[in-house]
Amino acid sequence: MGIQDEQLRKLIDHIFDSHQDDVLDCDSCGCQLECLAEKVAGGASLREMWPEVEAHLMCCRDCREEWQALLCILRAESNGQLSTPEK
Amino acid sequence: MIDRTNEQWLAELTGPPDVQALALEELRGRLQRGIFYYLSRERSDLADLSSSEITQMAEDLAQDATLRVMENLDSFRGDSRFTTWATKIAVRVAISDLRRARYKDFSLDNLTADGDLLPANATGVTGTPELGPEDATERDDVMQRITAALKDALTERQYQALVAVAVQDVPLEIVAERMGTNRNALYKLLHDARRKLRTYMETQGLSTQYMMNLFQD
């Protein structure tokens, strides 16, 4: 697939496929993240708790990146993996 | 490290100077450990940095994040542990900083409907040698109609946002900053743009299923 086709594929995917008409926007999603992340880090299913948030995270790269970062830090914390960096 | 309740964090962070200073230092240290872990374990794009550079970066970001937490203390609702809420803010500070550094030279100026994003010659079939002549012709036709739809159905602002986010993979946050808006407003703008394009394309006989079938791998 050439670059032009690849660009077009990404555009079409964005318009038709990966973006459903989700009901949550970034602000609505963001204000739930800490509460949900604690539960997911503890083993709960995001899909079962709040499928709309999961749908938004599937669609929005920015929110997904922040969600994954938060989750990774919480998991590391609960596993005792956070340590003070040495200079 | 003291294990504080949410109420204790809030009381101490707004308490007398000596009490506040201790709580602030513990919060900053906690955020720094989280950021350092994220930067050093999860960010392959920082793999070229030395450990001391990552450490310094984490320290600076934790300082900024602590200030941001203090500025937003009134908005903590108590739905989670205080430290989780503060970590969310730290994550946002850190990732925003990384995005700005990566896209510091990004400009929307070249993204115009008359520009070359879906280049005028995007209808060429050189990128799809595996297609037969009939399929290639059909895809050429659809490409031309998509290019026309982008110009006809979208405003210049919608076009720029869609191309930057969907094609160039630029974070919403960066595009929003360049457009003088915020991420949420941009998300809604993109939502409207997608809806307009889908509607327009449907009227052109380009249904969702047809498009997905045509451009599937």
Side-chain angles (χ1 to χ4, degrees):
Chain A
M1 181 178 281
I3 183 65
Q4 294 159 4
D5 268 8
E6 189 178 323
Q7 287 180 331
L8 199 61
R9 266 299 300 266
K10 287 165 81 171
L11 188 64
I12 288 168
D13 183 59
H14 192 84
I15 297 167
F16 290 103
D17 186 32
S18 65
H19 282 76
Q20 303 303 316
D21 286 328
D22 49 302
V23 293
L24 279 188
D25 55 27
C26 299
D27 285 351
S28 306
C29 178
C31 67
Q32 312 294 338
L33 285 192
E34 65 271 31
C35 178
L36 293 171
E38 276 186 353
K39 291 175 179 164
V40 171
S45 161
L46 179 60
R47 181 168 300 174
E48 287 175 12
M49 280 190 298
W50 210 319
E52 293 85 356
V53 170
E54 187 187 49
H56 179 81
L57 293 176
M58 293 288 287
C59 293
C60 180
R61 271 197 312 269
D62 285 33
C63 288
R64 186 167 63 245
E65 185 177 32
E66 291 161 20
W67 162 259
Q68 288 170 340
L70 177 59
L71 207 50
C72 115
I73 292 172
L74 293 185
R75 285 175 171 152
E77 185 180 28
S78 67
N79 293 332
Q81 294 175 293
L82 297 189
S83 57
T84 303
E86 293 178 13
K87 281 230 169 184
Chain B
M1 186 169 58
I2 304 167
D3 201 10
R4 296 173 171 83
T5 64
N6 288 352
E7 291 72 23
Q8 285 171 323
W9 273 113
L10 292 174
E12 293 182 27
L13 287 171
T14 55
D18 54 333
V19 174
Q20 184 190 48
L22 182 60
L24 275 173
E25 184 52 28
E26 291 206 17
L27 177 63
R28 192 198 58 75
R30 194 171 190 128
L31 297 180
Q32 184 179 338
R33 289 190 289 278
I35 292 170
F36 178 78
Y37 181 88
Y38 172 67
L39 298 181
S40 57
R41 300 291 190 93
E42 300 292 322
R43 297 293 304 215
S44 57
D45 55 325
L46 303 180
D48 290 342
L49 297 184
S50 68
S51 178
S52 64
E53 286 173 316
I54 298 272
T55 300
Q56 185 61 53
M57 187 183 285
E59 191 174 315
D60 294 343
L61 290 168
Q63 187 66 39
D64 292 346
T66 303
L67 290 172
R68 189 76 61 84
V69 168
M70 293 303 288
E71 288 166 2
N72 289 280
L73 218 48
D74 289 345
S75 67
F76 176 59
R77 301 188 311 262
D79 296 339
S80 68
R81 283 180 291 151
F82 175 79
T83 50
T84 303
W85 176 78
T87 301
K88 181 183 78 168
I89 291 176
V91 161
R92 176 67 80 89
V93 166
I95 290 179
S96 291
D97 194 76
L98 293 170
R99 286 173 182 151
R100 290 194 184 102
R102 179 173 180 184
Y103 290 95
K104 63 182 189 303
D105 298 325
F106 172 73
S107 169
L108 291 166
D109 292 345
N110 296 327
L111 302 182
T112 65
D114 295 324
D116 272 346
L117 151 74
L118 288 178
N121 61 353
T123 54
V125 294
T126 53
T128 54
E130 71 277 12
L131 290 178
E134 287 185 10
D135 289 339
T137 301
E138 184 179 11
R139 284 178 60 142
D140 280 0
D141 175 57
V142 171
M143 283 179 173
Q144 285 179 331
R145 289 157 77 184
I146 292 171
T147 305
L150 290 170
K151 291 180 180 176
D152 293 344
L154 302 183
T155 65
E156 184 79 3
R157 199 170 166 82
Q158 287 175 322
Y159 178 89
Q160 288 180 322
L162 191 65
V163 171
V165 172
V167 178
Q168 299 190 342
D169 293 332
V170 181
L172 286 175
E173 181 176 23
I174 300 299
V175 178
E177 283 180 359
R178 298 296 190 277
M179 289 187 153
T181 184
N182 61 55
R183 190 161 117 190
N184 209 48
L186 178 62
Y187 188 84
K188 289 175 179 170
L189 180 141
L190 284 167
H191 177 88
D192 291 342
R194 288 193 299 270
R195 195 173 52 193
K196 280 171 71 175
L197 269 176
R198 283 197 296 264
T199 302
Y200 184 93
M201 288 182 183
E202 292 278 349
T203 67
Q204 302 293 308
L206 303 173
S207 71
T208 300
Q209 195 56 51
Y210 172 75
M211 297 291 280
M212 295 317 295
N213 289 342
L214 189 62
F215 288 93
Q216 69 185 359
D217 289 326

